[in-house]
Amino acid sequence: MAKRFLFLLVLLFAAAAHADAVGIVATVNNDIVTTHELSQRIEMIMSANAMPRTDDMRHEIASEVLRGLIDDKIRLQAADAAGIKVTDEDIRRGMATIAGQNNMSVDQFTQMLGDQGVEKDTLEAQLRAEISWQKYVEQKLVPNVDVPSSEIDRLEAQMKDSTNRISYQVSEIFLPVDNASDDAKARAFGEDLIRRLAGGANFSALAHSFSASASAGHGGDLGWQTLEQMPPEIARIIKVMHPGQVSKPMHTLRGYYILYLRNTRNMQAKDVPDRAQLQEAATQQQIDLLQRRELRDLRNKAFIEVKHD
């Protein structure tokens, strides 16, 4: 009995020593975020956004990058609980898509990442989280989406009245605020992104790295919309912007939006979306809202402990 007790003590001390050696920055339910994961994700985001590779920059973005990693753990756990699997082929396709977007082969792209200190596993881990969440949304949330025909009738009538009106090509970055205590931090980070954009940073790259909206996978692109198609709080801002302008962080009940008005055009009859396109756009808006709520609820239910040095 004494030997067994001693053996258990040895195991406990070994586990504690392993945790210290690994470096745990956060616990998310029964999973962890390690210092290695955080440092690698930071390096990848700095590389993708051509950020100066300084310790000050790493410190500046660490909090938002950690939040993204925590959300990835939550997404993966939800998908796993739902029995969702991500195959090696899913990852290969994802890698090929990203490499292609950079006009490289997968080998060239991973070599480029490696030259900048980013391991291939880091990108694969992010892809696994993104793909698992896409599958989770399709399986668990999409069946609950219901856009009534009366809503499509309303949108169709608005579109017919919109001929010769202005259509707006808009992109977004969404920074969520789950708790009031996070509000100031989210706003400050949004203002920092504005400064980076003013300094020449790429909006699409920042959206992909930091936005919590479903549009992040498309660089924040929302496509062409009339003011009537937009949520009222966004329409109010867009209608006073000019092409090429980026808004200040806009506060809403759910968080902060940064909007980029890429271009405008007069909507002609040929530009008016048909009923099927209106249905698709309205459905996607509902899906986006549902998945934000789902992630927020999962986050609120999760045990999350962030280690502060």
Side-chain angles (χ1 to χ4, degrees), residues 102-236:
N102 288 273
N103 299 313
M104 298 180 188
S105 68
V106 171
D107 288 343
Q108 290 171 329
F109 186 66
T110 53
Q111 179 63 50
M112 183 270 292
L113 288 176
D115 290 342
Q116 299 183 49
V118 180
E119 298 167 1
K120 182 181 178 181
D121 288 350
T122 300
L123 178 57
E124 289 184 346
Q126 185 180 41
L127 280 172
R128 189 171 299 278
E130 290 177 356
I131 295 168
S132 67
W133 185 247
Q134 289 169 4
K135 291 186 176 187
Y136 179 88
V137 168
E138 290 168 5
Q139 179 176 310
K140 305 291 286 187
L141 303 184
V142 170
N144 298 324
V145 173
D146 179 27
V147 181
S149 58
S150 58
E151 174 64 11
I152 305 304
D153 292 340
R154 183 186 69 80
L155 291 171
E156 197 169 31
Q158 283 183 343
M159 290 297 101
K160 288 178 180 177
D161 291 340
S162 294
T163 303
N164 295 320
R165 291 186 185 179
I166 296 176
S167 181
Y168 302 83
Q169 187 181 25
V170 181
S171 294
E172 65 173 355
I173 293 174
F174 175 65
L175 305 174
V177 176
D178 297 327
N179 302 295
S181 59
D182 296 330
D183 190 279
K185 185 186 295 184
R187 180 176 180 82
F189 188 73
E191 290 171 346
D192 180 64
L193 292 182
I194 296 296
R195 287 191 291 272
R196 299 195 185 290
L197 290 165
N202 182 276
F203 191 98
S204 295
L206 288 178
H208 188 268
S209 295
F210 297 111
S211 180
S213 175
S215 65
H218 307 288
D221 184 24
L222 296 173
W224 289 93
Q225 299 184 6
T226 64
L227 294 176
E228 293 82 3
Q229 289 178 282
M230 303 175 194
E233 65 268 24
I234 290 180
R236 283 195 297 271

